[in-house]
Amino acid sequence: MGCLFCYSTTCKLYFLLYNIFDMENLSDTIVAISTGSTNGAISIVRLSGKNAIEIADGLFESAKHKKPSALPARYLELGKVKTKGFVEQAMCVVFRAPASYTGEDLVEIQCHGGLKIAHGIVEECISLGARLATNGEFTKRAFINGKMSLASAEGVMDIINAESDAQVRAGYNLLSGGLSKIASEAQDELTDLMSEIEVSFDYPEEQIEYITKANTKQRLKNLSDKLQKTLDTAGAGNLISNGINVLIVGKPNVGKSSLLNKLLDRERAIVTDIPGTTRDTIEDSFSINGIKVKIIDTAGIHDTTDMVEKMGVDKAKNLIDAADIVLFVTDASKPLTDEDKKIFDLIKSKQHIEIANKADISHNNSNKKAIVVSSLTGEGIEELKQEIFKRFESPNLVEGGVIITNERHKQALSVALENINNAIREIDCQTLDLISIDLKLAYSSLGEITGNTTGEDIIDAIFSKFCLGK
Ligand SMILES: Nc1nc2c(ncn2[C@@H]2O[C@H](COP(=O)(O)OP(=O)(O)OP(=O)(O)O)[C@@H](O)[C@H]2O)c(=O)[nH]1
Ligand SMILES: [Mg+2]
């Protein structure tokens, strides 16, 4: 019975075991440069661990001759940092455990942004007893010390690696605990249900009315609906993480590369009036309403005997399958030809937008369904961008809130949901003890998001993807 009742404590126990397992590493004081790896205006060296303040005492002194151990927490102090090689003006801020990013004593030294200076400070800290942090070790400690859930830690990484506004927004939501809250509330509800089932086993003779199958079923249905709603955001999340893959195709000289340049708002591709100018694919990205768009310009598709050009044309044809949407470009100033029609046949089964370019010359011949643009004047380009966005727009993209952007979270939610749905299906014909096995599995799967049931190898793999100093 204990194991069914102790879920909230299992979580704490897990942390305890994890701490014991990792005790040696956790007792180290770690140091790393937390800013970028090039020269800049300032660099920040971060120290965390039980000796962080003592080590900082060995190299920093404030303008009023105070060592970090005598400084108030969370105040930035101007002073000097002294290493074996140099003395430098620097700022220092002390965070005392547990009120720090890692939950440990933590010191940040802000120095001038030369890498030589920052490396010198790190080396000095190491000579005073610190060890160089591994990738993501500060955030890993924050997780182990209960400062954030695993999903929140992954949010930190998503924000750092974000390439679009939408990725920053989704990462911030993850960091702020939006998804962890849903997962841990679901775990709490499962814990309650399992506990009640357990009570009904232990005291059947008292006919405790704690639980009825109908009541359990309804509560599981509510839980299932909530998790399903969250899982449904994964489509929008995939778009945020991976962006929209757009492919530009058309016959030679219709203005594909000019369109690419206009969409990117810079001269990325060579444009000439010679058909066959683009021979290989050209890839770049831009964003529409904060969503990343990966775009590929291709060689004009036509029958050619030129070996190099033919390879480009074949490559263009192969890329059609992988695209989320194809921009089929024609020349609005000229009648459509058989070549245009043949290319259209290649892409018509894909999601596509027909574009009549060179509208500044004339567009009397253009297809009525096409969006009329001029890559020369910019006419119709904004309309085209919004049309691309519209094809992928979903309420989740617009409303914000919790969005599943991470495949691991999607998997964990799907498995939890599957087990809950199994329980709902089986509840009328199975005994409640069997149902609680499904609930236990669902609980465990949700723990992959909060981190309270995640295996050490997975945790290591997640944090190894972080950068040094984070
Ligand atoms: N007037 C006008 N000219 C355009 C427009 N778009 C492209 N052109 C011209 O058309 C010619 C061909 O443009 P590109 O962008 O190189 O055409 P492309 O489809 O990439 O051609 P290939 O790479 O050979 O397949 C160039 O002379 C461009 O300046 C447009 O909107 N209006
Ligand atoms: Mg081109």
Side-chain angles (χ1 to χ4, degrees):
M1 164 175 138
C3 66
L4 286 172
F5 267 109
C6 69
Y7 277 91
S8 52
T9 43
T10 306
C11 155
K12 287 176 197 141
L13 195 67
Y14 173 80
F15 280 120
L16 196 68
L17 287 173
Y18 192 68
N19 274 314
I20 291 166
F21 183 78
D22 216 22
M23 189 72 89
E24 201 181 322
N25 271 339
L26 278 176
S27 66
D28 292 347
T29 296
I30 52 171
V31 65
I33 303 172
S34 285
T35 37
S37 52
T38 52
N39 287 351
I42 56 164
S43 287
I44 299 178
V45 174
R46 194 187 243 172
L47 264 167
S48 179
K50 66 178 171 35
N51 297 328
I53 298 175
E54 189 188 319
I55 290 172
D57 276 357
L59 73 160
F60 182 84
E61 191 176 84
S62 79
K64 292 176 187 156
H65 305 293
K66 281 189 177 166
K67 296 282 185 193
S69 54
L71 294 177
R74 296 163 175 258
Y75 277 89
L76 199 57
E77 285 277 338
L78 178 66
K80 280 182 183 151
V81 69
K82 199 186 282 181
T83 71
K84 289 185 189 61
F86 57 81
V87 176
E88 212 288 81
Q89 201 173 44
M91 311 271 270
C92 177
V93 59
V94 174
F95 300 88
R96 291 195 165 77
S100 73
Y101 180 71
T102 55
E104 305 171 328
D105 280 346
L106 188 145
V107 179
E108 286 182 2
I109 297 173
Q110 296 187 5
C111 57
H112 289 114
L115 277 183
K116 183 73 202 134
I117 305 167
H119 280 299
I121 295 172
V122 168
E123 278 164 25
E124 191 64 24
C125 291
I126 291 172
S127 78
L128 291 168
R131 135 173 101 67
L132 193 63
T134 56
N135 286 24
E137 199 171 0
F138 292 93
T139 310
K140 186 176 175 182
R141 286 184 176 202
F143 163 64
I144 291 169
N145 292 325
K147 298 293 287 187
M148 61 174 79
S149 69
L150 193 55
S152 295
E154 287 170 295
V156 172
M157 184 164 64
D158 287 356
I159 290 174
I160 293 172
N161 294 331
E163 293 178 14
S164 69
D165 290 351
Q167 280 176 306
V168 176
R169 285 196 297 268
Y172 181 69
N173 199 292
L174 203 53
L175 162 67
S176 311
L179 180 62
S180 307
K181 187 162 176 270
I182 292 173
S184 66
E185 281 175 2
Q187 279 188 314
D188 288 347
E189 174 69 343
L190 289 167
T191 305
D192 285 351
L193 282 164
M194 287 187 285
S195 304
E196 289 170 18
I197 288 173
E198 193 68 16
V199 170
S200 73
F201 294 156
D202 284 357
Y203 305 103
E205 68 286 355
E206 292 176 28
Q207 297 190 333
I208 291 173
E209 292 284 320
Y210 280 142
I211 191 157
T212 66
K213 279 188 173 180
N215 174 277
T216 307
K217 195 172 177 178
Q218 189 52 51
R219 282 171 65 183
L220 286 173
K221 272 186 178 158
N222 295 345
L223 193 56
S224 169
D225 288 349
K226 197 169 170 191
L227 295 182
Q228 185 64 56
K229 215 171 142 210
T230 308
L231 190 60
D232 287 345
T233 66
N238 183 40
L239 210 62
I240 289 171
S241 302
N242 300 320
I244 305 169
N245 291 308
V246 176
L247 186 71
I248 308 179
V249 299
K251 68 183 186 190
N253 222 33
V254 291
K256 298 178 298 299
S257 301
S258 306
L259 178 65
L260 171 86
N261 291 345
K262 207 73 190 169
L263 288 167
L264 296 175
D265 201 19
R266 64 194 176 88
E267 299 305 306
R268 171 71 174 82
I270 296 172
V271 166
T272 75
D273 57 3
I274 306 161
T277 300
T278 308
R279 294 183 151 221
D280 203 350
T281 50
I282 300 171
E283 301 189 27
D284 217 308
S285 62
F286 64 104
S287 73
I288 306 176
N289 302 348
I291 302 293
K292 185 174 173 190
V293 176
K294 292 191 234 169
I295 190 156
I296 304 179
D297 175 28
T298 60
I301 298 175
H302 71 128
D303 285 332
T304 174
T305 49
D306 180 310
M307 244 262 286
V308 179
E309 204 184 356
K310 190 172 178 320
M311 286 166 84
V313 170
D314 288 346
K315 205 167 167 183
K317 287 180 181 166
N318 291 337
L319 284 169
I320 291 172
D321 262 355
D324 293 321
I325 187 161
V326 178
L327 305 186
F328 169 58
V329 186
T330 56
D331 184 337
S333 66
K334 293 181 180 155
L336 290 177
T337 64
D338 281 349
E339 231 167 14
D340 289 312
K341 285 173 194 148
K342 274 188 198 160
I343 299 168
F344 183 70
D345 282 342
L346 284 177
I347 62 106
K348 68 181 178 198
S349 60
K350 288 286 302 183
Q351 158 108 285
H352 62 268
I353 299 175
E354 296 174 45
I355 297 165
N357 186 36
K358 306 197 188 184
D360 54 291
I361 303 174
S362 85
H363 60 89
N364 299 330
N365 300 317
S366 67
N367 171 352
K368 294 281 169 288
K369 277 197 273 173
I371 295 188
V372 176
V373 307
S374 165
S375 301
L376 196 68
T377 65
E379 175 194 339
I381 297 294
E382 192 49 41
E383 187 192 337
L384 171 60
K385 284 186 178 177
Q386 293 314 320
E387 180 61 28
I388 296 172
F389 183 76
K390 219 165 81 188
R391 300 288 180 100
F392 298 92
E393 194 176 355
S394 76
N396 299 117
L397 273 183
V398 182
E399 287 163 13
V402 172
I403 296 179
I404 303 294
T405 50
N406 177 314
E407 194 53 37
R408 207 181 65 77
H409 299 159
K410 184 178 163 191
Q411 260 317 97
L413 264 184
S414 303
V415 173
L417 202 55
E418 204 179 297
N419 284 299
I420 292 169
N421 290 339
N422 271 348
I424 295 170
R425 262 193 310 276
E426 290 165 356
I427 199 159
D428 294 326
C429 50
Q430 298 281 10
T431 55
L432 281 173
D433 56 336
L434 286 175
I435 300 305
S436 70
I437 293 174
D438 286 324
L439 305 193
K440 209 166 159 184
L441 290 170
Y443 180 97
S444 171
S445 193
L446 289 165
E448 301 279 328
I449 295 173
T450 56
N452 60 9
T453 60
T454 318
E456 194 204 335
D457 48 343
I458 294 174
I459 290 170
D460 283 346
I462 290 169
F463 286 103
S464 69
K465 289 188 209 139
F466 275 62
C467 46
L468 201 65
K470 189 64 212 172

